[in-house]
Amino acid sequence: MIEALVFDLDGTLVNTELLHYRAWRQVLLENGVEMVPFETYLLFAGTSNEKVAGEYISNHAIDKTIMQLVLEKQSLYMDLVPEITLCNGAYEVIERFSGKKILAVASSKR
């Protein structure tokens, strides 16, 4: 019998990809780099900020460390957090199993 449900956060419970994209687009523009279209950016979905930063630094000769670029992006992203919305069906699933199963959120750091 299933006793618990474990959810991933980004893309499963909450819609965050567009907000991550907006933050990356802004920080890259501030560093003289044009961001790829959103559809192309989605190829990065599920990867770390460090990987995205590393790709842009090496492909566009950005004169910053990976950590500097990630911190700039995360600062912009945190300003967008109030705009986060639930994914379709997330509320209904949580409501259905709340109090009946153990519910947990897990996420990876890659």
Side-chain angles (χ1 to χ4, degrees):
M1 179 165 94
I2 296 174
E3 296 180 26
L5 299 173
V6 180
F7 301 93
D8 180 44
L9 184 63
D10 292 323
T12 301
L13 290 180
V14 294
N15 292 311
T16 55
E17 286 306 325
L18 183 58
L19 301 180
H20 283 290
Y21 174 77
R22 287 172 49 197
W24 273 120
R25 190 176 96 219
Q26 184 174 339
V27 78
L28 290 170
L29 284 172
E30 290 172 1
N31 284 279
V33 177
E34 184 69 35
M35 183 72 172
V36 296
F38 179 65
E39 294 73 24
T40 305
Y41 166 78
L42 288 176
L43 296 173
F44 284 114
T47 63
S48 68
N49 284 318
E50 291 78 10
K51 179 173 173 59
V52 177
E55 291 280 330
Y56 274 93
I57 288 169
S58 58
N59 292 331
H60 299 280
I62 297 172
D63 189 26
K64 296 209 170 146
T65 67
I66 288 174
M67 193 51 58
Q68 286 172 319
L69 204 60
V70 166
L71 289 173
E72 288 177 24
K73 180 268 181 177
Q74 283 302 99
S75 177
L76 295 170
Y77 177 76
M78 293 308 291
D79 292 339
L80 299 173
V81 165
E83 297 181 35
I84 291 176
T85 59
L86 288 174
C87 289
N88 290 337
Y91 179 81
E92 291 80 9
V93 170
I94 292 167
E95 186 177 62
R96 177 177 177 193
F97 292 104
S98 181
K100 299 174 186 154
K101 302 285 182 192
I102 297 168
L103 302 179
V105 176
S107 196
S108 68
K109 182 173 190 317
R110 293 187 240 174

